[in-house]
Amino acid sequence: MIRNLRRAVRRAYRRTVDLSHPARSPLGSAVVNCVVYRDGVRQPGDCPVEEAVRRVRKSGEGFVWVGLHEPSAEEFAGIAELFELHPLAVEDAVRARQRPQIQPYDDVLFAVFKTVCYVEHEELTATSEVVETGELMIFTGPDFVVTVRHGKHGSLGPLREALEDTPDQLAKGPAAVLHAIADHVVDDYLVVIDAMQVDVDAVETAVFSDTAGRGDAGRIYQLKREVLEFKRAVTPLFRPLQALASAPMPLIGPDTQPYFRDVFDHLARVNEQIGSFDALLDSILQAHLAQVTVAQNEDMRKITAWAAIVAVPTMVCGVYGMNFDHMPELHWKYGYPLALALMTVACFAIHRGFRRNGWL
């Protein structure tokens, strides 16, 4: 009941997803939006990317933020040429499935973040998908921000609206946008961590309950695989964010680095929690396998005990079933009752001994 209540609360407070796609740019259908900001304020009117860049560079003030969703190489070629993006970074942005990283290319910072979304499920099974990952690439230049999103989740629409409500922060330029995106991604990690905690607790409770089944190994292993996928999204980002928080980087001024230190602290917490999940699931899996081994040993002991009990009458019956002519008890009046009594007493004695020793 408590687990269901937690899931209901998460659904109620989950971030809204921006599914709107404003007018497309002539440069390609993958362009979701193109906005000019000046002194932290969004400039009115929508315009093509080339026109937005021309306005910003002509005035020498503000920056342009271009958002794209899963562009092809042909669709991204115009953007790359307009902003003079490095070919290696462009190739990574188009192909996706890149390792989280932050790479400086002259006066442009190229960042790759893994977005992670928790997949709701009523009950964890051996085939349940727990986390779903996507990718977010950010090109940050002196007067532009280009974001490339891959995957069904991780929309930056709500983030853009939140930034527009704080013009003082947005007035700090593209570095402020990069920080906001990093903070947004890491905050989503914290949400996923809290949700996965419920699954880990449920698996631990099930394994150590009286009704634990041998099928729990599949659930534990599946959850461990999902934790590993989450870990691949978080751990490689540790050093790049640490560099943004402490080392000199292009476009990241001293007034912006403290914000990245806060994001880094949150990421460190997520990284530690994932490590603890991984270690705990290892322990739970080993405990479950030990329980299975103990249960199998108990089954084997019971089978062995009953086999020993059955062996006594089998042996007696086998001896008297040989039908030799000169067997003393064959023609004795009390031979048959004595044989039955002998088998009964022997079986009772063996059964009692096994019960005392805990075999039955």
Side-chain angles (χ1 to χ4, degrees):
M1 180 178 178
I2 296 177
R3 187 161 63 251
N4 293 334
L5 181 61
R6 287 182 179 177
R7 296 191 193 281
V9 171
R10 279 204 308 274
R11 291 191 187 105
Y13 287 94
R14 188 186 298 159
R15 287 190 180 96
T16 57
V17 178
D18 178 24
L19 298 177
S20 61
H21 289 262
R24 304 301 186 181
S25 166
L27 285 176
S29 60
V31 177
V32 176
N33 46 36
C34 175
V35 181
V36 174
Y37 294 94
R38 186 172 298 164
D39 296 327
V41 179
R42 178 173 182 160
Q43 300 303 296
D46 296 324
C47 59
V49 179
E50 290 181 338
E51 176 62 22
V53 174
R54 187 190 65 80
R55 287 168 52 186
V56 167
R57 291 179 177 174
K58 182 178 179 180
S59 64
E61 297 179 352
F63 65 94
V64 59
W65 183 351
V66 182
L68 301 97
H69 180 251
E70 298 184 352
S72 64
E74 294 76 14
E75 290 172 328
F76 198 53
I79 300 289
E81 183 179 358
L82 183 62
F83 293 108
E84 298 180 353
L85 304 179
H86 197 280
L88 292 177
V90 171
E91 182 180 0
D92 290 344
V94 172
R95 288 187 176 180
R97 297 194 177 277
Q98 302 299 318
R99 180 183 175 88
Q101 58 182 292
I102 295 178
Q103 294 289 345
Y105 292 97
D106 297 328
D107 59 346
V108 176
L109 268 180
F110 174 62
V112 178
F113 296 108
K114 286 280 190 181
T115 57
V116 179
C117 174
Y118 181 78
V119 180
E120 294 287 351
H121 48 270
E122 294 300 327
E123 183 180 0
L124 181 68
T125 65
T127 58
S128 295
E129 185 180 12
V130 179
V131 294
E132 182 181 358
T133 60
E135 289 184 46
L136 191 59
M137 286 82 166
I138 304 101
F139 295 89
T140 310
D143 55 5
F144 67 87
V145 176
V146 177
T147 56
V148 182
R149 181 167 62 90
H150 292 267
K152 296 181 292 185
H153 64 277
S155 172
L156 297 178
L159 173 65
R160 186 190 292 268
E161 294 175 3
L163 273 174
E164 291 172 356
D165 291 336
T166 56
D168 291 342
Q169 184 69 12
L170 197 55
K172 295 178 182 179
V177 177
L178 178 61
H179 159 261
I181 294 174
D183 187 53
H184 173 78
V185 170
V186 174
D187 281 349
D188 282 346
Y189 291 168
L190 292 171
V191 173
V192 175
I193 277 290
D194 292 339
M196 292 187 76
Q197 180 72 63
V198 178
D199 289 323
V200 174
D201 291 343
V203 166
E204 184 178 20
T205 302
V207 166
F208 292 101
S209 67
D210 295 334
T211 58
R214 298 185 182 181
D216 287 334
R219 300 170 60 213
I220 300 170
Y221 186 71
Q222 176 66 13
L223 185 57
K224 186 171 175 60
R225 287 188 63 183
E226 296 296 303
V227 168
L228 181 60
E229 183 177 357
F230 192 12
K231 186 176 182 179
R232 284 197 294 263
V234 174
T235 304
L237 192 59
F238 196 78
R239 288 187 179 275
L241 264 184
Q242 188 178 33
L244 282 177
S246 56
M249 298 286 284
L251 306 174
I252 308 300
D255 57 335
T256 310
Q257 277 193 329
Y259 294 96
F260 283 103
R261 281 197 287 271
D262 180 67
V263 178
F264 175 72
D265 289 341
H266 292 170
L267 183 69
R269 174 191 161 189
V270 173
N271 196 50
E272 291 173 0
Q273 192 70 34
I274 291 175
S276 66
F277 282 169
D278 196 26
L280 181 58
L281 287 173
D282 279 338
S283 300
I284 293 174
L285 183 59
Q286 293 300 321
H288 174 69
L289 294 178
Q291 288 178 333
V292 171
T293 302
V294 170
Q296 290 176 341
N297 288 339
E298 290 179 354
D299 292 342
M300 289 302 299
R301 286 195 304 179
K302 290 180 180 179
I303 294 172
T304 303
W306 283 112
I309 293 173
V310 172
V312 173
T314 301
M315 181 187 68
V316 175
C317 293
V319 170
Y320 285 97
M322 290 186 290
N323 296 323
F324 290 120
D325 291 334
H326 302 286
M327 294 184 69
E329 294 85 359
L330 287 180
H331 303 288
W332 185 36
K333 179 179 180 180
Y334 300 103
Y336 178 67
L338 179 63
L340 291 180
L342 176 64
M343 289 187 288
T344 302
V345 171
C347 289
F348 176 78
I350 295 174
H351 183 274
R352 187 176 181 182
F354 282 138
R355 286 291 297 270
R356 284 182 175 178
N357 292 324
W359 283 48
L360 289 174

